[in-house]
Amino acid sequence: MPPRSKPSRRAFSRIADAAALAVFALGLAGAQSAADLPTPGSLPDGDPTRRPAPAVVAPAGALPRDWQRGAFMEIYVRGYRDSDGDGIGDLRGLTASLDYLQSLGVRGLWLMPVTASQDHDHGYATRDYRAIEPAYGTLADFDALLRAAHARGIGVIMDYVVNHSAAEHPYFQQALKDRNSPYRSWYVWRDKAPTGWKVWNKDPWNTTPTGAYLSVFSRTMPDFDFRSPQVMAFHQDNLKFWLDRGVDGFRFDAVAHLVENGPDAWRDQPENIGLVRTLVRTISAYPNKFSVCEATHGERDFAQPDVCGNAFTFTRGADALGAARGDAEALRKLAADLDGAPPGLASMLSNHDRFAGDRVWDQLHGDVAAYKLAAASYLLQPGTPFIYYGEEVGMADASLDGDRALRAPMSWTGDGATAGFSTGTPFRARAANVATQNVAAEEARPDGLLAWYRALLRTRNAHPSLSVGELAAPQVVGNVFAYQRHAPGERSVVVINTGAATGFEAAGLPAGSRWKQVFPEGEPGALVADAAGKSSLSLSAQSVRVYVAD
């Protein structure tokens, strides 16, 4: 691909530092007037709600039916692959990595925010909802990524930040400077900061010379006021902008916090359900799209087909990790959670947020056998599984604090200086185990984690019962968890032994049914049910088996 220019990391650092100073100045009530605060200019193309939508650039319907029930990869573009040597990952680097992702077997990509942001790093303070973060490339680069992904049968969903904008967003800046601005009603303002509020042990109200505004997460992220109909129209128009480009759906951030009704009612308010339903209705007008919500509470309500359709469950991943460590109680909790759960619950073992835990390698202390069990536990479950980038090769946390430890450059090679991520100096410290756990090293290990993930995903993708099938007849006996998956025309049985070698009697099978073993691949094996629908198995320690009915 031809080279292109991007602002240097040093330039971005200066911009980010200046922005932080400007925003924190908002809290110095009386120290200066709002007009004195340094403010960004207007958005490059004017009011984003007035920008014409593009022609469709990636054909709708280019993906196979049920593509969204294959596994997704969550990707932090800044940390995935750098195409031009400036040390920052970009869209062209991701596009160049699609063959690897296809060979892994993923069917979808969740891109952490790639829109222009205030911090230029984690991206959840959106400055322009219709522009690409300059360090990541251009809209043309994004369009090229969509086309290349679709050609490989891979869908792409974007992280969409709906609860709040950046404090640098021109709309908020206008609301900050002028009480009579038409954008004042777009955010939650009071003449004086209310008292008695405490959100995660901090006061979410920020006093400025023109009033106090609400920001649940950070003073750099002022909350939208969804009681203003213009706010919903703004978000719907933005969604259409990206859908018309060919985006395959969205991950909606922090939907439990869209509405606050007082100091003791600042999350999980009933209005949130209707707001999400309206957003998703906009997406549903386009064929074969996908939406998933980050609802840290009440996820089953959001996972309903007429609300978000899908929502992350964080407890299931924690239980899968506990079970992999041999905790029989965690295994029972996992089985109970799966039994009768809506199919829209999406699973993961870890992600970009510290509240979801360290990377899997660190949580399991490098125990590869347990790691494989945890992977099988969630990749063979109902719902859509999400793999966090680098998980498939055993990336560890970086030796950093906070969420930065979870967002290190991808470990492509064992080079301690670059990790094969860039030809320049990476923007951040590498994973602590980059020397041993990287793509190049795992490619050479026939029994390694990468081979295991590929085999699991091949099995899932080859059998509809494992990708879209319903769960039936769950059993937990000691450290063994078994269940069936049913789809039209196919039935399968999954058996996971998280403990020592043992005998196990599978039950609830159709009388006299016969099943062939399809995982692990290449191992002969069969399961035959007797007249009572039972079959005796001999299981090796920490093992996984999958059978499909003959």
Side-chain angles (χ1 to χ4, degrees), residues 6 59 106 139 149 154 157 211 258 266 333 431 457 467 519 534:
K6 294 191 295 187
V106 299
L139 280 171
I154 298 173
I157 67 171
L258 302 182
W266 51 268
K333 288 171 61 179
L457 293 181
S467 56
F519 186 90
K534 298 179 180 180

Side-chain angles (χ1 to χ4, degrees), residues 235-252:
H235 286 306
Q236 288 176 302
D237 286 346
N238 291 332
L239 296 178
K240 291 175 184 176
F241 175 88
W242 293 108
L243 289 164
D244 286 341
R245 293 200 91 86
V247 166
D248 302 298
F250 299 91
R251 177 261 190 188
F252 288 109

Side-chain angles (χ1 to χ4, degrees), residues 360-534:
V360 178
W361 184 269
D362 297 277
Q363 292 196 58
L364 296 178
H365 307 292
D367 184 337
V368 173
Y371 204 126
K372 290 180 176 181
L373 292 175
S377 291
Y378 89 108
L379 293 176
L380 298 174
Q381 291 174 6
T384 300
F386 282 77
I387 303 166
Y388 190 39
Y389 80 98
E391 174 190 316
E392 76 280 9
V393 296
M395 268 182 67
D397 290 0
S399 298
L400 298 166
D401 59 357
D403 292 340
R404 296 185 309 151
L406 307 171
R407 305 176 191 178
M410 174 68 177
S411 296
W412 293 101
T413 72
D415 186 331
T418 69
F421 159 79
S422 174
T423 57
T425 301
F427 72 101
R428 181 166 292 158
R430 273 60 70 204
N433 63 353
V434 62
T436 58
Q437 296 304 128
N438 57 75
V439 173
E442 283 292 312
E443 291 280 11
R445 294 172 182 150
D447 61 347
L449 286 171
L450 182 57
W452 182 258
Y453 272 75
R454 281 177 172 157
L456 282 170
L457 293 181
R458 271 196 305 271
T459 304
R460 179 186 177 92
N461 293 338
H463 297 286
S465 60
L466 296 174
S467 56
V468 300
E470 297 179 357
L471 183 139
Q475 288 179 264
V476 176
V477 179
N479 287 98
V480 179
F481 181 29
Y483 54 87
Q484 298 178 37
R485 301 286 306 276
H486 293 176
E490 187 181 79
R491 295 173 297 166
S492 57
V493 174
V494 177
V495 184
I496 300 175
N497 177 23
T498 64
T502 186
F504 175 71
E505 186 174 73
L509 305 169
S513 58
R514 300 181 62 86
W515 310 70
K516 63 180 179 181
Q517 184 174 316
V518 296
F519 186 90
E521 298 169 332
E523 289 188 9
L527 183 154
V528 179
D530 62 19
K534 298 179 180 180

Side-chain angles (χ1 to χ4, degrees), residues 132-155:
I132 296 296
E133 176 65 37
Y136 299 165
T138 65
L139 280 171
D141 293 330
F142 186 81
D143 295 341
L145 169 66
L146 289 179
R147 288 192 296 268
H150 287 183
R152 292 164 173 80
I154 298 173

Side-chain angles (χ1 to χ4, degrees), residues 290-315:
F290 179 75
S291 55
V292 60
C293 285
E294 182 202 31
T296 47
H297 299 82
E299 61 269 21
R300 294 192 178 213
D301 294 331
F302 286 98
Q304 298 303 317
D306 65 336
V307 184
C308 192
N310 303 273
F312 293 118
T313 169
F314 296 97
T315 57

